[in-house]
Amino acid sequence: MSVNLFSQNLNDSWQVGIGMGITKFSKSDAAFIGDTYQFQVPVLSLTMPVGERVSIDGAMSVNTIDDIGLINNSASYFSIDGSLRYNFNVVIEKFSPYAFIGASVVDSEKKMTPTFNIGAGGIYWITDKIGINPQIYYKHSLSSFDSMRSHIQGTLGLVFKLNWNNISKGTQGVSISGVGCM
């Protein structure tokens, strides 16, 4: 019997994602920013593997919709994020958790502000090429900046695995004999 496995680590390939995000500010910071919650659509991401378990992730979040019923964005939010991600072993079949550190530049009505980020997430692979990706950031803004405050951002997106690594190796997956599980 032959089983086709696409990877031992489900995060070893380039990935592109699209989704949405919700940002939460504390009560005192919401008074400064203008919103307690902000809704972002789209949240776009690109992930590139650089080692066996390490990848570089870039993301962009924009609040293009001002009102979704429960959340009314009275302030603008635009973020460019970069992070270094550590991908853990698969803990449950097809679920790959990760942790990351990085930085962002967040733009609001006031001006662009750098933040330092830490977070975690995971990808549940529905197929060998499509996954669901929830993640949560803590974006820390230094008090010396008068334009942005520290906040939490949660995102939920669809991730599409690009087989660029396999194309360069001339294979479409790893074929093994016997029975195996991911």
Side-chain angles (χ1 to χ4, degrees), residues 8-48:
Q8 183 179 15
N9 179 348
L10 298 174
N11 284 318
D12 72 346
S13 180
W14 285 69
Q15 301 155 17
V16 63
I18 185 165
M20 63 183 181
I22 295 179
T23 300
K24 182 189 182 309
F25 293 90
S26 69
K27 287 183 182 182
S28 62
D29 292 335
F32 179 80
I33 296 297
D35 290 317
T36 301
Y37 297 97
Q38 290 189 328
F39 180 71
Q40 292 97 35
V41 167
V43 175
L44 305 171
S45 65
L46 178 66
T47 303
M48 176 184 76

Side-chain angles (χ1 to χ4, degrees), residues 14-15 46-51 54-58 82-85 87:
W14 285 69
Q15 301 155 17
L46 178 66
T47 303
M48 176 184 76
V50 293
V54 178
S55 54
I56 296 173
D57 187 61
S83 59
L84 188 63
R85 179 191 289 185
N87 304 301

Side-chain angles (χ1 to χ4, degrees), residues 86-112:
Y86 181 81
N87 304 301
F88 297 101
N89 281 332
V90 175
V91 293
I92 301 172
E93 185 177 348
K94 296 186 180 185
F95 180 72
S96 298
Y98 57 83
F100 60 90
I101 59 169
S104 297
V105 176
V106 181
D107 191 17
S108 65
E109 269 87 20
K110 302 182 185 293
K111 63 180 178 179
M112 296 184 89

